Structure formats: structure tokens, C-alpha cells
Amino acid sequence: MSKSKVISTDDILATLCHSVTGVLSSASGNEISYSAMVQKITRTCMRPDIGCFVLFDGGFTGLVVTNFTAQAAMEIYGDYMRSMGMPEDEIAHSHLSDDVSNVMGELMNQIVGDFTSKVREQLHTSITQNQPKMMAINKQVQISVDTTMDRPQARRVTFTTRNQNIFYLELAMDKTEFIKLHDFDIVEAVDPDDIIENEAKQKADKEKAKQPKQDDSDDDFMAELGL
């Protein structure tokens, strides 16, 4: 009998970390990395300078908190806005700006969407979440999940930007294990943008193939005459 594969809380955390680095790196062009060492913590908190929390429910219950320093938030925000073609004079220069909170909140929403998609594909379960909202804070705020968690676990992961600015992700969820009873194929999510891009490329290739080829016989004849 083959040994069943067990997916633990820390495996789910690793999936979330991949979503964070994947979405932020792609959106901002900034190479985001995270530490291989994870901290066990006793409680989750929102900390200065700018933070966000998201509640999960469904296949499992949990809480995700992200805490950005002002420097890390402004680096990611600035890189993202520049990649979108925003003029420098229209980019906010303070993490207290509403534009920074809105953009970082939208990026967090993309991270959550990517994570829930991965959970659905890899764990064959579904989770729902509230709308993330970034906010600038100047004091530490303790966040807890008001649910029946029998054995809550909390973890903190350190992330680093290209300019060595730091931000943190904290996850709190009930200790859980997903046991894989039999093998199954993981169906990758389809990106609509990729479909549109491929369709446009195929159409361009077909149009190019339809164009008549230029007759070079006259040029060859003239070349033979030395003209």
C-alpha cells in the first residue's frame, strides 16, 4: 500500500508565500523574496507603517496579516506605478497617501485571488475571503479570528524587496492536515490574458501567411546581367 501524502499548515503557508512573491514580482518588476526560516508566533498583529488583514473561511479558517514598512510599501508601489506608465509627478511620495493604500490593497486582492485559486487546484477545496483593505497605522493593533479554532497556529514570514526593504506576512489558522488518498492531475488555472495574447498572435501569423511572397526572379535576372 502506498503512503498517503500529507499537506500541513506549513505547506499551505508556503503556497501563500509563492502567491505573494509571484504577484508582487510580476506586477512591480521588483524581485521579491522570502526567508526560508519561518517564525512561530503566539498572536497576529497589524504593525506600523501600513498593513492589511484578510479573513478566510470555507475549507479551512484563517487570518492573513501583511505589515509593510513605509520604505517597502513605497518601493513596491512606485515600481508598480512606473510599470503601468504613470508619470513621475503623478506618483505619491508618502505612504500616508490614499493612492498608496488603494494600490497596495489592490495588489493584496490579487495575491488573495491567486492563493484561493491555488488552494482550489492543489487541495480540491474552496475558501472565501473578505475584501482586503490596506490602511496606514502608527500603533500596533492585535488581530484575532473570532471562530472555534481548536489548535490555532500562527506563523510569521519575512519578505525582502530588491532594495533590501522588509515587510512581513503573518498567518493564523487551525492546525490542519490534508491527506492525499490517491493521485490526481492538478489543472492549472487559465489566464484570460494569455488566451487573448495567443489568439492575437495566431491571427497575426495567419495574416502574414496569406500575404503573397515577393517575386525575386526579376532581381536575380538583373543581378546576373550585372545591373
Side-chain angles (χ1 to χ4, degrees):
M1 181 180 294
S2 60
K3 185 178 180 181
S4 299
K5 182 179 179 180
V6 177
I7 298 175
S8 66
T9 304
D10 291 329
D11 294 319
I12 296 173
L13 174 61
T15 299
L16 178 59
C17 290
H18 291 156
S19 292
V20 173
T21 55
V23 170
L24 292 184
S25 296
S26 176
S28 66
N30 190 320
E31 288 300 322
I32 309 294
S33 59
Y34 65 93
S35 172
M37 300 299 293
V38 178
Q39 293 176 269
K40 285 186 176 182
I41 56 178
T42 57
R43 60 178 184 172
T44 54
C45 296
M46 288 182 64
R47 296 177 171 83
D49 294 302
I50 181 169
C52 173
F53 70 92
V54 182
L55 289 169
F56 291 110
D57 199 10
F60 56 85
T61 301
L63 167 69
V64 174
V65 177
T66 52
N67 292 308
F68 291 85
T69 61
Q71 295 81 3
M74 292 307 297
E75 180 184 349
I76 295 172
Y77 160 79
D79 287 346
Y80 174 69
M81 298 302 284
R82 293 183 190 97
S83 71
M84 297 291 289
M86 185 68 65
E88 196 67 32
D89 59 352
E90 295 184 18
I91 298 177
H93 298 287
S94 170
H95 74 282
L96 299 176
S97 169
D98 289 339
D99 191 41
V100 176
S101 296
N102 293 336
V103 169
M104 295 301 291
E106 173 56 32
L107 291 175
M108 188 63 193
N109 192 43
Q110 294 180 30
I111 290 170
V112 170
D114 186 77
F115 173 63
T116 55
S117 177
K118 283 182 168 63
V119 166
R120 185 167 53 250
E121 297 161 9
Q122 299 174 8
L123 302 181
H124 283 201
T125 190
S126 179
I127 55 175
T128 58
Q129 73 287 327
N130 68 310
Q131 181 72 21
K133 175 63 177 177
M134 283 279 180
M135 62 188 75
I137 56 176
N138 56 16
K139 292 183 179 180
Q140 180 172 299
V141 179
Q142 184 174 348
I143 305 291
S144 61
V145 185
D146 186 17
T147 56
T148 55
M149 281 194 183
D150 295 327
R151 296 177 296 167
Q153 292 184 316
R155 303 283 189 267
R156 179 189 295 135
V157 184
T158 303
F159 290 78
T160 308
T161 68
R162 179 168 50 204
N163 292 339
Q164 303 303 306
N165 289 313
I166 303 297
F167 65 96
Y168 302 93
L169 179 141
E170 298 180 5
L171 170 67
M173 61 179 293
D174 203 356
K175 184 177 181 180
T176 187
E177 292 181 343
F178 286 86
I179 302 172
K180 186 177 182 181
L181 298 179
H182 59 82
D183 292 332
F184 57 84
D185 295 329
I186 296 178
V187 180
E188 297 292 340
V190 178
D191 189 340
D193 292 335
D194 290 341
I195 295 177
I196 295 173
E197 183 179 349
N198 290 333
E199 288 289 339
K201 184 178 179 181
Q202 290 177 7
K203 184 176 181 180
D205 291 342
K206 289 180 180 178
E207 291 295 331
K208 187 176 180 180
K210 290 180 181 179
Q211 294 178 359
K213 294 183 179 180
Q214 183 177 355
D215 189 0
D216 296 332
S217 58
D218 291 340
D219 294 338
D220 294 340
F221 177 71
M222 297 298 287
E224 290 177 2
L225 295 178
L227 300 176

